Amino acid sequence: MTDLRARQPDLLSLAPPLRDGIGRRFEYLRLSLTEVCNFSCTYCLPDGYRRPCNRPVELSPDEIGRAVTAFAALGLWKVRLTGGEPTLRRDFDAVAQTVAAVPGIRRVAMTTNGYRLAERAQAWRDCGISAINISVDSLDPARFAAITGHDRLADILRGVDAAQAAGFESIKLNAVLMRGINDDELEAMVDFVASRDLSLRFIEVMRTNDNVAFFAARHVAGQTVIDRLEVSGWTRLPRQPGAGPAIELGHPSAKGRIGIIAPYSQDFCASCNRLRLSSDGRLHLCLFGDGGIDLRPQLTGDDPAALLARIRGLVATKAPAHRLHAGDSGATPHLASIGG
């Protein structure tokens, strides 16, 4: 079987950058390793993960290697391992090492709920992961337990310390801001990262097919958070190469940084630079698109050129923007299904 990785130098020199029909360039792949999650967060899986009776088999490490190699050949250089909870895969370390070894991949990141972070931070750093995002939706233990279904805040915060000790280049805390649940913690969370070399990401609640009522009751507009921060002296920072969609702010007296991920803001999609591959091998051009396109036949086949052509042809059809403002969240049942 032809190994796409063996041909990577030639492919990298020949393939033009990957762009869509309106000229956006893609550098960033969000790779879901599993849709399974062991937390039951109110905004994502309030009833916990329910395994479908016909759940597809997850991509193997070899298939993942082929996929990442193809995307790298098309100019993507950053990969985020996500889920569900990606570390629930027993072969997570092997997958991380496979991705980090692909020529052209310069940064491997991961997103985790942090339940194993305190014990595994150094091992994951040694696997080649250099950036980590950790979900911390509250700094109050009881509230954290109410949101996630697990009384593990102290463990997660120990994991943050372990990640810092392990030398991750970037450590970010993700907090979904919800009206009447944790929006009164904004100042406390800002103070927490202001004294530490961390980034904090406030994420707007996003409407999906199974949370319409929750979204209506709990959504907090990201711009209101930006306004409050700017009044307190925080200012917008330049967007870094390969960065995700966050609007990032800094303060002259703060070590940490604050980011706002606001998909309902104006022109949110204009700078989109990321694609998503689900755990069963489906390419999602948008988190809120009409569904994924199956790449698995090309990932198991023996025609690297066909895989590259398929990806390039599909990306050319990417829509200019999502349709959230029209109340249309596409085919996404919940955020864990394709990696958020």
Side-chain angles (χ1 to χ4, degrees), residues 21-80:
I22 61 173
R24 290 174 296 193
R25 181 173 175 174
F26 295 90
E27 305 169 300
Y28 176 9
L29 177 67
R30 295 182 63 96
L31 175 62
S32 177
L33 301 186
T34 182
E35 65 177 32
V36 181
C37 189
N38 57 332
F39 279 22
S40 51
C41 297
T42 55
Y43 52 83
C44 184
L45 293 171
D47 299 318
Y49 175 75
R50 306 293 179 89
R51 182 187 177 100
C53 59
N54 59 344
R55 177 171 160 245
V57 176
E58 295 164 348
L59 293 175
S60 69
D62 185 62
E63 289 172 316
I64 289 170
R66 285 174 175 264
V68 173
T69 299
F71 283 105
L74 292 169
L76 280 76
W77 55 267
K78 175 181 176 180
V79 178
R80 178 170 298 280

Side-chain angles (χ1 to χ4, degrees), residues 85-238:
E85 172 49 42
T87 65
L88 288 174
R89 277 190 62 143
R90 295 179 180 177
D91 59 357
F92 176 78
D93 289 19
V95 169
Q97 291 170 337
T98 296
V99 172
V102 172
I105 297 302
R106 306 202 302 269
R107 169 164 285 203
V108 181
M110 66 180 287
T111 296
T112 177
N113 61 29
Y115 88 105
R116 298 181 65 200
L117 185 56
E119 63 183 79
R120 298 296 298 166
Q122 187 63 61
W124 294 337
R125 183 69 184 94
D126 293 343
C127 286
I129 298 170
S130 61
I132 187 165
N133 285 26
I134 308 149
S135 296
V136 182
D137 294 308
S138 175
L139 294 174
D140 176 84
R143 185 176 286 175
F144 180 92
I147 293 172
T148 66
H150 291 268
D151 184 12
R152 290 182 172 177
L153 177 62
D155 296 335
I156 306 306
L157 294 182
R158 280 194 293 272
V160 174
D161 292 338
Q164 290 188 294
F168 283 89
E169 296 170 10
S170 171
I171 302 173
K172 298 175 183 176
L173 308 184
N174 290 345
V176 176
L177 205 60
M178 296 167 279
R179 181 188 302 119
I181 295 180
N182 65 352
D183 57 333
D184 61 336
E185 289 192 65
L186 191 147
E187 284 76 15
M189 294 180 118
V190 169
D191 289 344
F192 182 82
V193 300
S195 60
R196 296 167 173 84
D197 187 18
L198 300 169
S199 290
L200 171 64
R201 294 289 189 265
F202 288 119
I203 306 172
E204 279 187 325
V205 172
M206 305 178 202
R207 175 179 165 172
T208 55
N209 293 340
D210 66 349
N211 77 344
V212 175
F214 184 91
F215 171 82
R218 303 303 183 188
H219 178 253
V220 177
Q223 186 59 49
T224 65
V225 180
I226 294 171
D227 292 343
R228 290 170 65 179
L229 290 169
E230 290 181 336
V231 167
S232 301
W234 292 79
T235 57
R236 299 194 188 202
L237 301 174

